[in-house]
Amino acid sequence: MHELLPVFERINLAHFDGFLDLPRLSWNSRLRSSAGRFIPGSRRFPLERVPTIEVASYLLEESAAAALIEDTIAHEMIHYWLWVRRRPYGHTGEFLQKMREMGVSRYNPVPRKRPFKYIYRCGFCETDFPARRKLGPLACARCCKQHSQGRYDARFKLFLHRKVETAEAL
Ligand SMILES: [Zn+2]
Ligand SMILES: [Zn+2]
């Protein structure tokens, strides 16, 4: 399997002056919504919960796997770098500036190309939720937030609106 560590070390030297300590680096075969993710560690118990960078295994199936993996690790390393420096570590202005400096091409790493099979809908606000699998009893997060203090409310339960017949692009 593709090694994550050498990629991390190369980017660390090239763009962070070797400043970043080695996080936990791992593949995640269940990660589908994004190509990677950064999970912050615990500041109080740094040895028990180390910061983690995960890379979605499906990238290995892509034709440009090496470049995508590199981009994904670079992207997650910016989150990590902001977190280490106790900065807000989302996609902030600082994040974007660092990304431009590094020449990382993607704002959001490529999502999985696997097609959506189902379209669920919130009957209240009529928002559609494409899904790759059948969903359990889920409610529309936005409606629950707006109308029931963020608690689950059956009024906003998502219903299966239709099945996607062909591989529609979404
Ligand atoms: Zn990100
Ligand atoms: Zn809704």
Side-chain angles (χ1 to χ4, degrees):
M1 202 167 217
H2 197 97
E3 291 279 340
L4 299 174
L5 179 59
V7 180
F8 174 89
E9 287 181 328
R10 190 169 62 244
I11 298 170
N12 195 18
L13 285 176
H15 298 290
F16 299 95
D17 300 320
F19 168 76
L20 294 170
D21 288 332
L22 186 63
R24 203 167 72 83
L25 293 168
S26 63
W27 292 98
N28 183 336
S29 59
R30 296 176 312 279
L31 193 58
R32 299 282 175 184
S33 54
S34 69
R37 64 175 176 172
F38 165 66
I39 306 162
S42 163
R43 298 203 197 271
R44 283 186 63 194
F45 307 105
L47 296 177
E48 284 162 45
R49 259 195 40 221
V50 294
T52 299
I53 288 176
E54 290 184 346
V55 180
S57 310
Y58 74 74
L59 291 183
L60 291 164
E61 300 156 22
E62 307 284 332
S63 54
L68 291 172
I69 291 162
E70 177 117 11
D71 253 20
T72 300
I73 294 177
H75 180 106
E76 303 310 327
M77 283 174 75
I78 302 175
H79 288 303
Y80 176 38
W81 172 74
L82 291 170
W83 178 80
V84 166
R85 293 164 54 248
R86 297 175 183 255
R87 306 289 303 155
Y89 58 92
H91 298 136
T92 58
E94 209 177 348
F95 182 100
L96 299 177
Q97 194 193 332
K98 183 69 177 172
M99 196 183 71
R100 275 193 299 271
E101 282 170 21
M102 290 169 63
V104 178
S105 55
R106 261 168 224 86
Y107 174 71
N108 258 329
V110 280
R112 184 68 171 122
K113 285 189 214 129
R114 214 155 55 113
F116 294 103
K117 280 194 185 149
Y118 306 98
I119 307 291
Y120 282 81
R121 177 170 286 183
C122 168
F124 199 82
C125 70
E126 303 207 315
T127 300
D128 282 350
F129 296 85
R132 298 190 169 88
R133 297 175 276 112
K134 287 219 165 178
L135 300 180
L138 282 181
C140 172
R142 199 176 54 180
C143 284
C144 290
K145 206 166 166 182
Q146 274 183 12
H147 309 294
S148 66
Q149 284 97 43
R151 283 192 297 273
Y152 177 90
D153 188 318
R155 281 182 297 167
F156 314 126
K157 191 166 177 286
L158 304 185
F159 66 89
L160 181 57
H161 175 57
R162 66 189 171 91
K163 200 163 182 292
V164 178
E165 293 309 329
T166 51
E168 292 177 33
L170 280 165

